Amino acid sequence: MTTTESETPTTPTPAPLQVAVVTLGCARNEVDSEELAGRLEAGGFVLVDDAEDADTVVVNTCGFVEAAKKDSVDTLLEAADLKASAGHGGRAQAVVAVGCLAERYGKDLAESLPEADAVLGFDDYPDIAARLRSIVAGETHHPHTPSDRRRLLPISPVDRDASGISVPGHQDAPEVGDTAEIGAGAPATGPRAVRRRLDAGPMAPLKLASGCDRRCSFCAIPSFRGSFVSRRPSDVLQEGQWLATQGVKELFLVSENSTSYGKDLGDLRLLETLLPELSGIDGIERVRVSYLQPAETRPGLIEAIASTPGVVPYFDLSFQHASAAVLRRMRRFGDPESFLGLLEQIRSLAPLAGVRSNVIVGFPGETEDDLQTLCDFLVAARMDVTGVFGYSDEDGTEAAGFADDLKLDDDEIRARTEHVTTLVEELNAQRAEERVGEQVLVLVESVEDDVVEGRAAHQGPEVDGTTMLTGAGHARVGDLVAATVTGTDGVDLVARTDGVPA
């Protein structure tokens, strides 16, 4: 019998590859992961939540400090175990490292971690879908040799044009006008490399800028994140509008240094003018700014954050220490008097403002007097939350090359860190207790088994504690609920409400 054209056997179309994106580290990494997810989905991949259901697992690593590096490596090894079990019911075919650790160490990470099938740098992001397809197909990807990304752009901020390099999180903003979607996340028209939300919660980080021009002697971030580059205000605003269409109620503005926003665009006051536009987006209930450099926090920006409707009075100030001598060795500026003066300015405009910071204990050359200066400052500052980090040498930093006689031994650093941590826990608990009786607006983030939990204006995502609501049985995720603080548990609050959204 002759086979007709209509009866000619056809090769079945292969099922689309499934990918899981696992994110470690800061909120900036969350934005980068959602950009990668958007690119992958636009490239034909199907995104899944569970790595066990994925053909390929992309781990967006953190390379900030030693503990974060270890978490990243451990996560890559766990994903590799899934791949090893593929013959026993699993399906993972490839494990890929991206993010800061991958960018920072490149081929060295690939050589030391053969369990990962590939180590991709930031320059691979624009073609991430093609890269993953080739890796799953068994092709070998040669990881990059790390270099100082600050050298990719001119020294003068106003001379920078980042359009020719890959800057994670700076993809074209999604268009808002067309509600059709690719898969579950991206507009069907406009730029194809778009952001795809990986978290359905009512808060979303929104990137203002990437990179940093500061030369803190303990920090390696500028070397692998590059020079400071602001996103255009129109792109930030468009993405904020798009996030609002995805159910977001709070925009969390992130960068390595938000106080520098606009300096490379010719106007250092751009953030002050952008905040009212962001808070005015239909559907956005509040806007929060993160990571302010104390030495760059100008009065106009303080006033904008403290008094713009819809912008929460929240000040994430990177003090790092209080001793002038230690700060100079850190290549930073300040002292207790200037820092306390800054806090006084803030509280004169917003008495109930939330204030958080991080400090490094045991920095080379830190004396017992320096440590006491730090502790005295922390007592006087009355901050809501302070993160405490023990100093450790970071590859390629100036401080790593300081003379050995300046460096404290590990036991001393550990003891000092424990001392300051104990003090901070007590101070933060006291500050929370001072808020008993306050009226707060809580953004509801979870409702489980009649337990309603969210964050008040002074509580940033993940690190600043939460507020549990009582009497809020009708509250839903995304509601902004008025309540009165009735109790505390460390930095966490308990607040009573009638359950009616504000």
Side-chain angles (χ1 to χ4, degrees):
M1 184 177 78
T2 302
T3 302
T4 64
E5 183 176 347
S6 62
E7 295 172 333
T8 301
T10 57
T11 303
T13 303
L17 291 170
Q18 298 193 160
V19 59
V21 180
V22 180
T23 307
L24 300 168
C26 64
R28 299 184 293 274
N29 249 18
E30 293 177 27
V31 177
D32 296 350
S33 285
E34 294 192 350
E35 176 193 344
L36 290 171
R39 292 184 185 276
L40 288 167
E41 190 168 63
F45 281 78
V46 174
L47 289 154
V48 296
D49 295 330
D50 196 331
E52 293 185 358
D53 299 328
D55 298 299
T56 178
V57 181
V58 176
V59 180
N60 190 356
T61 60
C62 179
F64 178 43
V65 292
E66 205 58 43
K69 296 176 198 174
K70 183 180 183 304
D71 285 346
S72 295
V73 171
D74 289 346
T75 303
L76 285 163
L77 291 173
E78 289 173 9
D81 287 341
L82 291 176
K83 179 189 172 186
S85 68
H88 305 281
R91 61 181 295 161
Q93 301 173 47
V95 175
V96 176
V98 298
C100 292
L101 191 69
E103 176 63 36
R104 184 176 180 183
Y105 293 104
K107 63 183 181 64
D108 292 336
L109 178 63
E111 291 171 0
S112 64
L113 196 69
E115 292 86 352
D117 295 280
V119 174
L120 304 184
F122 296 154
D123 292 335
D124 292 304
Y125 283 22
D127 300 313
I128 187 69
R131 295 283 189 274
L132 256 61
R133 288 189 188 282
S134 68
I135 293 162
V136 172
E139 297 179 22
T140 300
H141 175 83
H142 298 284
H144 68 287
T145 299
S147 61
D148 191 335
R149 292 187 72 86
R150 290 172 293 192
R151 297 176 182 174
L152 298 177
L153 294 171
I155 292 176
S156 172
V158 295
D159 291 335
R160 292 174 190 161
D161 177 5
S163 61
I165 64 173
S166 178
V167 183
H170 285 231
Q171 80 285 357
D172 290 332
E175 292 187 356
V176 182
D178 194 324
T179 57
E181 296 178 337
I182 301 169
T189 61
R192 307 302 287 181
V194 296
R195 178 172 177 175
R196 201 275 203 185
R197 291 210 72 201
L198 296 174
D199 183 345
M203 181 283 300
L206 175 57
K207 189 171 282 193
L208 284 174
S210 287
C212 185
D213 288 340
R214 301 187 72 88
R215 294 295 181 265
C216 301
S217 61
F218 56 83
C219 183
I221 289 175
S223 66
F224 57 85
R225 276 290 184 178
S227 299
F228 184 87
V229 178
S230 301
R231 296 183 69 196
R232 293 176 300 179
S234 57
D235 286 348
V236 177
L237 188 60
Q238 273 188 304
E239 190 166 329
Q241 292 168 338
W242 177 78
L243 287 168
T245 70
Q246 304 298 299
V248 171
K249 301 297 184 182
E250 177 178 320
L251 299 176
F252 184 41
L253 307 185
V254 298
S255 71
E256 276 79 17
N257 179 4
S258 297
T259 36
S260 282
Y261 180 71
K263 73 174 185 179
D264 51 322
L265 301 178
D267 186 355
L268 194 55
R269 296 170 298 175
L270 272 182
L271 185 54
E272 287 96 306
T273 60
L274 181 60
L275 287 175
E277 294 187 78
L278 289 169
S279 64
I281 294 173
D282 188 29
I284 297 300
E285 299 285 357
R286 64 190 193 189
V287 176
R288 184 183 305 274
V289 184
S290 72
Y291 215 85
L292 306 173
Q293 288 287 346
E296 299 179 28
T297 304
R298 52 202 174 273
L301 181 57
I302 295 173
E303 184 174 359
I305 294 174
S307 59
T308 301
V311 176
V312 294
Y314 173 83
F315 293 83
D316 176 14
L317 295 161
S318 174
F319 288 124
Q320 302 299 355
H321 210 281
S323 162
V326 173
L327 287 165
R328 297 302 179 272
R329 278 193 295 278
M330 289 180 168
R331 302 292 184 197
R332 296 175 69 84
F333 303 94
D335 51 45
E337 291 73 24
S338 63
F339 290 166
L340 291 172
L342 176 59
L343 292 174
E344 185 177 351
Q345 289 180 55
I346 290 168
R347 287 166 174 154
S348 68
L349 294 172
L352 303 181
V355 180
R356 84 167 323 273
S357 190
N358 294 311
V359 297
I360 297 173
V361 179
F363 191 77
E366 181 189 71
T367 65
E368 291 187 4
D369 285 345
D370 292 329
L371 183 66
Q372 189 59 50
T373 297
L374 173 61
C375 292
D376 291 344
F377 165 72
L378 293 171
V379 171
R382 293 175 47 251
M383 291 185 285
D384 291 278
V385 175
T386 305
V388 182
F389 296 87
Y391 172 79
S392 62
D393 285 340
E394 282 296 313
D395 298 335
T397 61
E398 180 185 358
F402 284 174
D404 288 343
D405 60 359
L406 280 176
K407 295 184 178 179
L408 285 66
D409 63 45
D410 291 344
D411 289 342
E412 180 62 23
I413 293 174
R414 189 177 302 110
R416 293 187 181 194
T417 302
E418 290 174 356
H419 172 70
V420 176
T421 298
T422 300
L423 173 64
V424 158
E425 288 175 350
E426 181 180 347
L427 293 171
N428 293 167
Q430 289 175 2
R431 181 71 186 110
E433 289 171 3
E434 291 176 6
R435 293 191 179 274
V436 172
E438 277 186 20
Q439 301 292 312
V440 293
L441 286 176
V442 178
L443 179 65
V444 177
E445 295 188 307
S446 70
V447 180
E448 296 182 8
D449 299 326
D450 296 326
V451 177
V452 180
E453 203 165 24
R455 290 178 296 106
H458 70 280
Q459 294 172 318
E462 304 294 338
V463 292
D464 292 348
T466 61
T467 299
M468 185 177 72
L469 294 171
T470 60
H474 299 294
R476 299 172 300 174
V477 171
D479 284 346
L480 199 63
V481 177
T484 302
V485 179
T486 59
T488 67
D489 181 7
V491 296
D492 296 327
L493 303 180
V494 178
R496 184 185 64 252
T497 176
D498 57 11
V500 178

